Amino acid sequence: MPAWWTYVESPLEFIVSACRIRSVFFVVPTRSQRSRVLFSTSADWVCKIQRASHQREITSLRFGASKTMTNFWKALTRRKTDDVNEGESKLARVLNLFDLTALGVGSTLGLGVYVLAGQVAFNIAGPAVTISFLIAAVASAFAGICYAEFAARVPKAGSAYVYSYVTIGEFVAFTIGWNLILEYVIGTASVARGLSGYFDSLINNDMSKALNESMHIDVDFLGDYPDFLSFGMVLLLAGILAFGAKESSFLNNIFTTVNLVTIAIVLVAGAMNANVDNWRIPEKDVPEGFGTGGFMPFGIAGVMAGAAKCFYGFVGFDCIATTGEEAINPKRNIPLSIVVSLIIIFLSYFGVSTVLTMMLPYYLQDKDAPFPHAFDAVEWYTIKWIVTIGAVFALCTSLLGAMFPLPRILYAMGNDGILFKKLSKVHNYTKTPLLATIVSGIFASIMALLFNLDQLVDMMSIGTLLAYTIVAICVLVLRYQDEEMSKVVSVKAPNVIRQFFNGNSYREPNSMTSAITKVGIVVFAIVCLVWCSFQKVFDLDSTGGIVALSLVGALLILICIVIAMQPVSTIELTFKVPLVPFVPCLSVFANLYLMFQLDLNTWIRFLIWIVIGYVIYFCYGMRNSTQITRARNHAEAASNALRDQNMGQHENPAFEPDSKAENGRLPPPYEYSEKL
């Protein structure tokens, strides 16, 4: 027996051993007179309990590094609960189908329809920008359905940050929240940059020419010149919001109507000047650097790269899924309004990009203000000014809609303690998160000052795509687990392999089926990344590329089938994603594929953003999370309730004060004897 082992005789008592790790104490009960506790104080950090009568090991508890990792994992996966000391507010269900649809269209149909179509057609997809919008619409529809189920699962008004915090855990919630901050910041900066471009087009680009000549920026990952107009507009908007300005639904409906009327004018006037020959330009007439001409001058790769950029145009519909407490008949209206708004947005994008590329060859488009330039080319100056003024009003509304949620997400994350808590302070006079509004305004204005519009669009797309991917994965995880699942004690390899196709005939989720699903989801995401990498490496026209992509695709289908064979959750929801797991898996695949179409500089900027966020979380958020306080309050409330219950059950009238007996508040003797 090694010198560092010690025997301790312990008849029916608790053995407490301090194991030198952050003053954590482990209490091991022994239940037999003949039991002996064998514990170690060596660097192996192993505590073993042995029963002398049976001469075999009962259990082995490993602690030290493993215990630290367990606590670390629990911190990452702790879920948000309501504090027992806080009240819960109820929101009125007043939003009908029209209100929800107008909300989705108004918050989405902005910069994309007036700028993005011409920008993508110019040097990315050509006339095939229409197909790029279709692919982006399908990917957005998958993500929208997953958002709708998330909204049905969590009976709270909020964003995907709140949904994931309540259902999945803190680390996933922080990742989504941090990407939502990027989405709102870039959304604000990009709309401001687009609005500045439209103003510049009204004065024949004199502003951009002067700034480019006097203050040219010669840095690859920054814009060509500092845009002080967009910088000032964002700061002005932040000041207005900081003093309590609110965007009413009535005003939103009015400006959305103006926006749709402007788009209708564009479609009618553009169709009258359309020339289908602009979709059939021969290669010999195309300038160098603009592809091969025709409908797809940049090939399939250009269409998919354009779809990754066009995805930006559909960002904003997720606000519909945050109205779970305010929507009338959410089971019907939320998914229906998401579908209707996406259809309206897609038809607008499809029609606008069609007439734009038919009015003018794709290589003659203006990237910053395509419609004023196109109507200038056909000499329809009146329509040019109508469209320009309508676009300015629409972009102003879109700018307000993009900026408004940003302080709120900072406030929510600050209130939960995973971002700096000072961001959650509400000003007594304005009743707004003043510091969060100012910080977000400064941040967004700096982004608008330094980056070009196409760089901003790419950065926003990659952050939003990652958020949508996490939402789809969360839907899959939650669909294949219950709150209280039975644990499979004996997990052997034959049983696990048999369970791949539900050979054990389980009808309800348990620990083994849930684990198989989670591993399957992770493997599916990894294989998706492999497929996307192969698509970049191999030539689609080569036999080797086709075989490799086909084999990886078959593996993806097999993983989907394994996940589909597992028993699903029995929890009733007002809305569920149809065709699970195929729709969420398609959403994950489409989002990751579109992310791979973005350039390397976008990935570098995005990874820097993610690293900054994780440094903040691990150095500050994990230790200051208010969920620690909430859990402590819940434990104290449960302890107090149990103590009160026990005191009531074991009350002894013999020890009551005389004053209580004199006032007649003692129970009759026979009740007391019956309790005994």
Side-chain angles (χ1 to χ4, degrees), residues 433-478:
L434 185 60
L435 182 59
T437 304
I438 295 174
V439 170
S440 59
I442 294 174
F443 192 17
S445 62
I446 292 175
M447 299 291 284
L449 177 71
L450 297 178
F451 289 99
N452 279 335
L453 181 60
D454 54 349
Q455 296 170 333
L456 293 171
V457 168
D458 287 347
M459 289 176 65
M460 183 173 181
S461 294
I462 193 170
T464 307
L465 285 167
L466 180 60
Y468 288 176
T469 302
I470 296 175
V471 167
I473 291 175
C474 291
V475 168
L476 278 174
V477 170
L478 293 172

Side-chain angles (χ1 to χ4, degrees), residues 310-358:
C310 291
F311 187 84
Y312 164 88
F314 294 90
V315 172
F317 72 88
D318 51 335
C319 64
I320 300 175
T322 66
T323 60
E325 290 185 38
E326 300 160 285
I328 300 172
N329 191 9
K331 181 178 180 180
R332 170 183 176 270
N333 287 345
I334 287 183
L336 188 58
S337 61
I338 288 176
V339 173
V340 172
S341 62
L342 285 175
I343 290 175
I344 294 174
I345 294 163
F346 166 68
L347 292 178
S348 300
Y349 287 153
F350 188 86
V352 163
S353 57
T354 298
V355 299
L356 185 64
T357 51
M358 283 188 176

Side-chain angles (χ1 to χ4, degrees), residues 342-395:
L342 285 175
I343 290 175
I344 294 174
I345 294 163
F346 166 68
L347 292 178
S348 300
Y349 287 153
F350 188 86
V352 163
S353 57
T354 298
V355 299
L356 185 64
T357 51
M358 283 188 176
M359 286 176 62
L360 202 64
Y362 67 91
Y363 52 82
L364 296 179
Q365 301 287 339
D366 188 338
K367 294 176 62 177
D368 296 324
F371 282 112
H373 177 71
F375 284 112
D376 260 342
V378 298
E379 298 182 350
W380 282 38
Y381 302 112
T382 304
I383 299 297
K384 166 198 170 182
W385 282 99
I386 292 175
V387 172
T388 301
I389 294 173
V392 168
F393 277 101
L395 291 174

Side-chain angles (χ1 to χ4, degrees), residues 141 200 298 344:
D200 192 30
F298 301 97
I344 294 174

Side-chain angles (χ1 to χ4, degrees), residues 129-164:
V129 62
T130 54
I131 308 301
S132 298
F133 274 119
L134 175 62
I135 296 171
V138 172
S140 299
F142 289 151
I145 293 174
C146 294
Y147 262 84
E149 177 168 328
F150 240 165
R153 281 189 176 274
V154 182
K156 289 181 176 294
S159 64
Y161 162 73
V162 179
Y163 300 158
S164 56

Side-chain angles (χ1 to χ4, degrees), residues 543-611:
T543 304
I546 294 175
V547 171
L549 293 176
S550 299
L551 291 176
V552 178
L555 180 59
L556 289 173
I557 295 174
L558 178 62
I559 296 172
C560 285
I561 294 174
V562 170
I563 296 175
M565 297 300 294
Q566 307 309 311
V568 298
S569 172
T570 56
I571 298 175
E572 293 294 331
L573 298 174
T574 56
F575 174 77
K576 288 186 176 182
V577 175
L579 300 177
V580 170
F582 299 104
V583 169
C585 285
L586 282 174
S587 180
V588 172
F589 177 80
N591 295 334
L592 292 176
Y593 181 79
L594 292 177
M595 290 175 69
F596 265 74
Q597 305 308 309
L598 300 172
D599 57 50
L600 180 61
N601 288 332
T602 301
W603 277 94
I604 293 174
R605 287 189 290 263
F606 176 69
L607 291 176
I608 291 174
W609 172 258
I610 290 295
V611 168

Side-chain angles (χ1 to χ4, degrees), residues 619-655:
C619 294
Y620 178 86
M622 179 179 287
R623 299 180 180 181
N624 294 275
S625 173
T626 54
Q627 187 55 37
I628 301 173
T629 305
R630 293 191 187 107
R632 187 182 300 116
N633 291 341
H634 277 283
E636 291 178 357
S639 176
N640 293 336
L642 182 61
R643 182 187 61 191
D644 295 341
Q645 181 181 3
N646 291 336
M647 289 180 64
Q649 289 179 351
H650 300 288
E651 187 178 274
N652 191 340
F655 295 96

Side-chain angles (χ1 to χ4, degrees), residues 15-36:
I15 304 299
V16 181
S17 60
C19 301
R20 294 191 300 173
I21 301 177
R22 294 189 179 182
S23 300
V24 177
F25 288 85
F26 294 88
V27 180
V28 182
T30 58
R31 299 182 178 179
S32 171
Q33 183 71 23
R34 299 176 60 190
S35 298
R36 292 186 298 180

